[in-house]
Amino acid sequence: MLDGHVHADRSEDERRELVRRTQLALLAMRLGDDTGALDALTWDESGERGDARELMLLLFGACSELVATLGDGGTAPVKVQVFDETGEEVSIDDADPPVRTAVRTLLAQVHGNQEAAREQVEIAMASAAPNEVDSLLLQALRWTARLSAECLERGLPVPGWIADTPTG
């Protein structure tokens, strides 16, 4: 169901709960509710998102699958563009740190390098402020929502857990 994006050392119940919360966050994102999306990913009373690493890897793994699907299995290029707050395209290196991390993580996943993707997430988690972690999670949710919607509009497959996400 999760194609190895969630640690195998988790119980099946923990894995299901991670996916359930991610589905709720994805639904909130589709409804334009960023706060609700982040609230769905909050795991305890302290407001911590202790599973942020796995949430990001689950989402970026799904994005990678969706990009591959949209890119006809890698035979058609899919362009990743980064824009600043004014809407101007910027290089990845000039993007805000969470966006830079998101792009690099996605590119690593797309190229089948899960270890590099994990490293990007680890670097972000070690050095990011809480609001930057939230920004990275929101970026991953946005991309997952947009890419899955594009696949569905074209009649292309999406990962099962995304297809099973309530639509509101």
Side-chain angles (χ1 to χ4, degrees):
M1 172 167 95
L2 301 174
D3 299 327
H5 297 299
V6 176
H7 284 166
D9 62 350
R10 290 195 171 261
S11 73
E12 190 59 35
D13 286 343
E14 289 172 319
R15 293 162 73 140
R16 271 195 219 106
E17 180 64 10
L18 184 75
V19 169
R20 186 187 72 76
R21 287 189 173 274
T22 306
Q23 288 174 318
L24 292 173
L26 190 56
L27 173 59
M29 179 60 58
R30 288 177 177 160
L31 297 173
D33 183 5
D34 289 4
T35 301
L38 289 173
D39 288 348
L41 300 177
T42 301
W43 291 93
D44 59 34
E45 297 79 30
S46 70
E48 293 294 316
R49 279 178 265 292
D51 293 306
R53 286 172 179 82
E54 288 188 67
L55 291 165
M56 285 183 223
L57 291 170
L58 174 63
L59 289 164
F60 284 118
C63 286
S64 173
E65 291 176 42
L66 295 165
V67 166
T69 298
L70 287 167
D72 198 22
T75 61
V78 175
K79 184 176 182 180
V80 176
Q81 295 173 286
V82 179
F83 299 93
D84 65 15
E85 61 279 346
T86 66
E88 294 293 316
E89 187 173 0
V90 297
S91 76
I92 292 171
D93 294 328
D94 293 332
D96 290 334
V99 174
R100 228 180 9 244
T101 299
V103 171
R104 289 179 176 151
T105 303
L106 178 59
L107 290 173
Q109 284 281 11
V110 165
H111 292 287
N113 192 341
Q114 287 189 358
E115 186 57 36
R118 284 187 189 281
E119 287 173 11
Q120 286 297 318
V121 170
E122 289 299 326
I123 290 167
M125 296 301 295
S127 61
N131 66 323
E132 290 176 323
V133 172
D134 287 353
S135 180
L136 188 55
L137 283 166
L138 287 171
Q139 186 65 54
L141 283 165
R142 262 186 216 101
W143 285 349
T144 303
R146 288 180 185 158
L147 290 166
S148 62
E150 186 66 26
C151 283
L152 291 170
E153 282 179 26
R154 295 182 189 190
L156 299 171
V158 298
W161 70 268
I162 294 174
D164 294 340
T165 298
T167 57

Short mmCIF file of all heavy atoms in Angstrom, two decimals, residues 113-140:
data_model
loop_
_atom_site.label_atom_id
_atom_site.label_comp_id
_atom_site.label_asym_id
_atom_site.label_seq_id
_atom_site.Cartn_x
_atom_site.Cartn_y
_atom_site.Cartn_z
N ASN A 113 16.44 7.94 -6.08
CA ASN A 113 17.45 7.98 -5.03
C ASN A 113 16.78 8.30 -3.69
O ASN A 113 16.81 9.43 -3.23
CB ASN A 113 18.53 9.01 -5.38
CG ASN A 113 19.74 8.89 -4.47
OD1 ASN A 113 19.66 8.31 -3.39
ND2 ASN A 113 20.84 9.44 -4.92
N GLN A 114 16.18 7.27 -3.09
CA GLN A 114 15.48 7.46 -1.83
C GLN A 114 16.42 7.89 -0.71
O GLN A 114 16.02 8.62 0.18
CB GLN A 114 14.70 6.21 -1.45
CG GLN A 114 13.49 6.00 -2.30
CD GLN A 114 12.59 4.89 -1.79
OE1 GLN A 114 12.88 4.24 -0.80
NE2 GLN A 114 11.48 4.69 -2.47
N GLU A 115 17.65 7.42 -0.76
CA GLU A 115 18.62 7.81 0.27
C GLU A 115 18.89 9.32 0.22
O GLU A 115 18.93 9.98 1.26
CB GLU A 115 19.92 7.02 0.12
CG GLU A 115 20.92 7.26 1.24
CD GLU A 115 20.36 6.95 2.63
OE1 GLU A 115 19.58 6.00 2.77
OE2 GLU A 115 20.72 7.68 3.58
N ALA A 116 19.08 9.87 -0.97
CA ALA A 116 19.30 11.31 -1.10
C ALA A 116 18.06 12.09 -0.66
O ALA A 116 18.17 13.15 -0.03
CB ALA A 116 19.67 11.67 -2.54
N ALA A 117 16.87 11.55 -0.96
CA ALA A 117 15.64 12.20 -0.52
C ALA A 117 15.58 12.23 1.00
O ALA A 117 15.26 13.26 1.61
CB ALA A 117 14.43 11.47 -1.10
N ARG A 118 15.91 11.09 1.62
CA ARG A 118 15.93 11.04 3.09
C ARG A 118 16.94 12.03 3.66
O ARG A 118 16.67 12.69 4.66
CB ARG A 118 16.28 9.63 3.58
CG ARG A 118 15.16 8.66 3.48
CD ARG A 118 15.53 7.32 4.16
NE ARG A 118 14.55 6.31 3.88
CZ ARG A 118 13.38 6.23 4.51
NH1 ARG A 118 13.07 7.08 5.44
NH2 ARG A 118 12.52 5.29 4.19
N GLU A 119 18.10 12.14 3.01
CA GLU A 119 19.13 13.08 3.48
C GLU A 119 18.62 14.51 3.42
O GLU A 119 18.86 15.30 4.34
CB GLU A 119 20.40 12.93 2.64
CG GLU A 119 21.18 11.68 2.95
CD GLU A 119 22.36 11.47 2.00
OE1 GLU A 119 22.71 12.40 1.23
OE2 GLU A 119 22.92 10.37 2.03
N GLN A 120 17.92 14.88 2.34
CA GLN A 120 17.38 16.23 2.22
C GLN A 120 16.39 16.50 3.35
O GLN A 120 16.41 17.57 3.97
CB GLN A 120 16.69 16.43 0.86
CG GLN A 120 17.63 16.58 -0.29
CD GLN A 120 18.50 17.82 -0.16
OE1 GLN A 120 18.06 18.90 0.22
NE2 GLN A 120 19.77 17.66 -0.47
N VAL A 121 15.53 15.53 3.63
CA VAL A 121 14.56 15.70 4.71
C VAL A 121 15.28 15.79 6.05
O VAL A 121 14.94 16.62 6.89
CB VAL A 121 13.52 14.56 4.70
CG1 VAL A 121 12.65 14.58 5.94
CG2 VAL A 121 12.66 14.66 3.44
N GLU A 122 16.29 14.96 6.27
CA GLU A 122 17.05 15.00 7.53
C GLU A 122 17.72 16.35 7.72
O GLU A 122 17.72 16.91 8.82
CB GLU A 122 18.09 13.88 7.57
CG GLU A 122 17.51 12.49 7.74
CD GLU A 122 16.73 12.31 9.04
OE1 GLU A 122 17.10 12.91 10.07
OE2 GLU A 122 15.74 11.56 9.00
N ILE A 123 18.32 16.88 6.66
CA ILE A 123 18.97 18.19 6.73
C ILE A 123 17.94 19.25 7.11
O ILE A 123 18.19 20.09 7.98
CB ILE A 123 19.67 18.54 5.40
CG1 ILE A 123 20.89 17.64 5.20
CG2 ILE A 123 20.06 20.02 5.35
CD1 ILE A 123 21.46 17.69 3.78
N ALA A 124 16.79 19.20 6.46
CA ALA A 124 15.74 20.17 6.77
C ALA A 124 15.28 20.05 8.22
O ALA A 124 15.12 21.06 8.91
CB ALA A 124 14.56 19.99 5.83
N MET A 125 15.08 18.83 8.68
CA MET A 125 14.60 18.62 10.05
C MET A 125 15.63 19.07 11.08
O MET A 125 15.27 19.56 12.13
CB MET A 125 14.23 17.16 10.27
CG MET A 125 13.07 16.68 9.41
SD MET A 125 11.55 17.60 9.63
CE MET A 125 11.17 17.19 11.32
N ALA A 126 16.89 18.91 10.76
CA ALA A 126 17.95 19.29 11.70
C ALA A 126 18.13 20.80 11.80
O ALA A 126 18.52 21.31 12.84
CB ALA A 126 19.27 18.64 11.29
N SER A 127 17.84 21.51 10.71
CA SER A 127 18.15 22.93 10.70
C SER A 127 16.95 23.85 10.54
O SER A 127 17.09 25.07 10.67
CB SER A 127 19.15 23.23 9.57
OG SER A 127 18.59 22.88 8.32
N ALA A 128 15.79 23.31 10.28
CA ALA A 128 14.63 24.15 9.99
C ALA A 128 13.91 24.58 11.27
O ALA A 128 13.81 23.81 12.23
CB ALA A 128 13.65 23.40 9.08
N ALA A 129 13.41 25.78 11.23
CA ALA A 129 12.53 26.27 12.28
C ALA A 129 11.17 25.58 12.11
O ALA A 129 10.85 25.12 11.01
CB ALA A 129 12.38 27.78 12.18
N PRO A 130 10.37 25.52 13.17
CA PRO A 130 9.06 24.86 13.06
C PRO A 130 8.20 25.38 11.89
O PRO A 130 7.55 24.61 11.21
CB PRO A 130 8.39 25.14 14.41
CG PRO A 130 9.54 25.27 15.35
CD PRO A 130 10.63 25.95 14.56
N ASN A 131 8.22 26.69 11.66
CA ASN A 131 7.42 27.22 10.55
C ASN A 131 7.96 26.77 9.20
O ASN A 131 7.20 26.64 8.24
CB ASN A 131 7.32 28.75 10.62
CG ASN A 131 8.65 29.43 10.40
OD1 ASN A 131 9.69 28.96 10.85
ND2 ASN A 131 8.62 30.57 9.73
N GLU A 132 9.27 26.51 9.11
CA GLU A 132 9.83 26.00 7.86
C GLU A 132 9.45 24.54 7.64
O GLU A 132 9.22 24.13 6.50
CB GLU A 132 11.35 26.16 7.85
CG GLU A 132 11.79 27.61 7.74
CD GLU A 132 13.29 27.78 7.84
OE1 GLU A 132 13.95 27.05 8.62
OE2 GLU A 132 13.81 28.66 7.14
N VAL A 133 9.36 23.77 8.72
CA VAL A 133 8.89 22.38 8.61
C VAL A 133 7.44 22.40 8.13
O VAL A 133 7.07 21.65 7.22
CB VAL A 133 9.02 21.63 9.96
CG1 VAL A 133 8.35 20.26 9.88
CG2 VAL A 133 10.49 21.48 10.34
N ASP A 134 6.63 23.29 8.71
CA ASP A 134 5.24 23.41 8.26
C ASP A 134 5.18 23.80 6.79
O ASP A 134 4.38 23.26 6.03
CB ASP A 134 4.50 24.46 9.10
CG ASP A 134 4.19 23.98 10.50
OD1 ASP A 134 4.42 22.79 10.81
OD2 ASP A 134 3.71 24.81 11.30
N SER A 135 6.03 24.72 6.38
CA SER A 135 6.06 25.15 4.99
C SER A 135 6.42 24.00 4.06
O SER A 135 5.83 23.85 2.98
CB SER A 135 7.05 26.31 4.83
OG SER A 135 7.11 26.74 3.51
N LEU A 136 7.37 23.19 4.47
CA LEU A 136 7.77 22.04 3.67
C LEU A 136 6.64 21.01 3.57
O LEU A 136 6.36 20.48 2.49
CB LEU A 136 9.03 21.41 4.26
CG LEU A 136 9.71 20.31 3.48
CD1 LEU A 136 10.07 20.76 2.07
CD2 LEU A 136 10.98 19.85 4.20
N LEU A 137 5.96 20.75 4.67
CA LEU A 137 4.82 19.84 4.65
C LEU A 137 3.70 20.37 3.74
O LEU A 137 3.12 19.63 2.97
CB LEU A 137 4.28 19.61 6.07
CG LEU A 137 5.10 18.68 6.95
CD1 LEU A 137 4.68 18.80 8.40
CD2 LEU A 137 4.98 17.24 6.47
N LEU A 138 3.43 21.67 3.84
CA LEU A 138 2.40 22.26 2.99
C LEU A 138 2.77 22.17 1.52
O LEU A 138 1.92 21.90 0.67
CB LEU A 138 2.14 23.72 3.39
CG LEU A 138 1.39 23.92 4.71
CD1 LEU A 138 1.39 25.39 5.10
CD2 LEU A 138 -0.03 23.38 4.62
N GLN A 139 4.05 22.39 1.21
CA GLN A 139 4.49 22.29 -0.18
C GLN A 139 4.29 20.87 -0.70
O GLN A 139 3.79 20.67 -1.80
CB GLN A 139 5.97 22.68 -0.30
CG GLN A 139 6.48 22.75 -1.72
CD GLN A 139 5.81 23.85 -2.52
OE1 GLN A 139 5.80 24.99 -2.12
NE2 GLN A 139 5.21 23.49 -3.62
N ALA A 140 4.65 19.89 0.11
CA ALA A 140 4.47 18.49 -0.30
C ALA A 140 2.99 18.16 -0.49
O ALA A 140 2.61 17.46 -1.44
CB ALA A 140 5.11 17.55 0.72
#
